[in-house]
Amino acid sequence: MKAKYLITLLLLLVMGTGAAAQSAIPDTLLFVFKLHGQTRKYQMNFTQRKDSVVLDWRILRNLRWQKGSYTLTPAAMESGEVLSFLMPEDGRKVVLSDRETAYLISRKAYRQLKANRRLAYNCTEYEWLDNNEHVSGHALLHVRDVQEGAEMWIWDNPALPLVWRMKENPLEVNWEVQVLK
């Protein structure tokens, strides 16, 4: 009888812990890109592998799933300073340089933003505007490029500071993240 209670308690703990982790970092995100009047929807999954972060992406095109990945090195995760705008190519697994991140900022840039209400990324200075929006229990840190007016909303999560939304980007690559259910 005690064994049944112990197993039930363990199952409840595992289920409760999984739910908490799930709400902290969503499994799969939908990145909706808008460029020159076209919309592309990529399913993206960020996973920690050793000290690197691997971003597996996929998109349904012509009734077939295209997929690939980006690997962000430990050095890039810690102190990267360039946001990669490399176009996804079917079947391609890309390891970004130690200076590049994809769809998120480095921990160093995140700390800089939190401490100084400013950050430098892609040779661009951003100023903090507000943190009025929230997603999955975290605020979105709204920043604006002081020179050209591009705006980013960065997920206030030190483990994964995703660029949740980008608007008015001079490269005209704008996106917004949606949580898949």
Side-chain angles (χ1 to χ4, degrees):
M1 192 64 141
K2 283 185 179 181
K4 278 186 179 180
Y5 288 117
L6 183 58
I7 290 171
T8 303
L9 178 62
L10 286 173
L11 284 173
L12 287 172
L13 284 172
V14 168
M15 288 173 18
T17 303
Q22 182 72 10
S23 68
I25 298 178
D27 269 350
T28 303
L29 300 169
L30 184 67
F31 277 67
V32 181
F33 293 89
K34 296 195 183 281
L35 176 65
H36 303 301
Q38 297 182 6
T39 300
R40 298 279 190 267
K41 296 179 179 183
Y42 287 85
Q43 291 182 13
M44 298 195 187
N45 186 327
F46 292 82
T47 53
Q48 186 86 27
R49 293 195 188 138
K50 297 186 182 177
D51 290 336
S52 299
V53 169
V54 177
L55 163 58
D56 292 305
W57 62 265
R58 69 184 197 154
I59 185 170
L60 187 60
R61 283 232 176 112
N62 301 322
L63 302 174
R64 177 174 101 56
W65 283 104
Q66 294 181 359
K67 57 186 175 180
S69 68
Y70 296 104
T71 299
L72 288 68
T73 66
M77 289 300 299
E78 182 53 39
S79 59
E81 57 195 20
V82 175
L83 193 60
S84 174
F85 286 97
L86 184 64
M87 174 96 176
E89 290 182 41
D90 187 27
R92 195 156 172 226
K93 296 177 186 247
V94 177
V95 178
L96 297 173
S97 77
D98 288 344
R99 295 185 60 230
E100 293 178 294
T101 60
Y103 310 107
L104 54 85
I105 62 172
S106 65
R107 287 187 279 274
K108 178 181 175 185
Y110 173 81
R111 288 189 303 268
Q112 179 186 27
L113 176 60
K114 294 291 282 191
N116 305 325
R117 300 178 68 87
R118 295 180 87 73
L119 89 128
Y121 225 73
N122 285 353
C123 298
T124 303
E125 187 77 23
Y126 292 89
E127 64 183 348
W128 180 331
L129 297 177
D130 62 63
N131 61 347
N132 298 335
E133 292 183 65
H134 290 77
V135 173
S136 295
H138 295 275
L140 293 178
L141 308 175
H142 182 194
V143 300
R144 181 181 55 218
D145 170 352
V146 297
Q147 293 293 318
E148 296 182 330
E151 295 178 77
M152 290 191 298
W153 286 260
I154 300 165
W155 200 38
D156 189 4
N157 182 340
L160 197 69
L162 288 171
V163 177
W164 200 267
R165 183 180 313 130
M166 180 168 277
K167 187 171 121 180
E168 305 301 328
N169 179 347
L171 297 175
E172 298 182 16
V173 180
N174 297 315
W175 73 80
E176 183 167 356
V177 177
Q178 298 172 1
V179 178
L180 289 177
K181 296 180 183 195

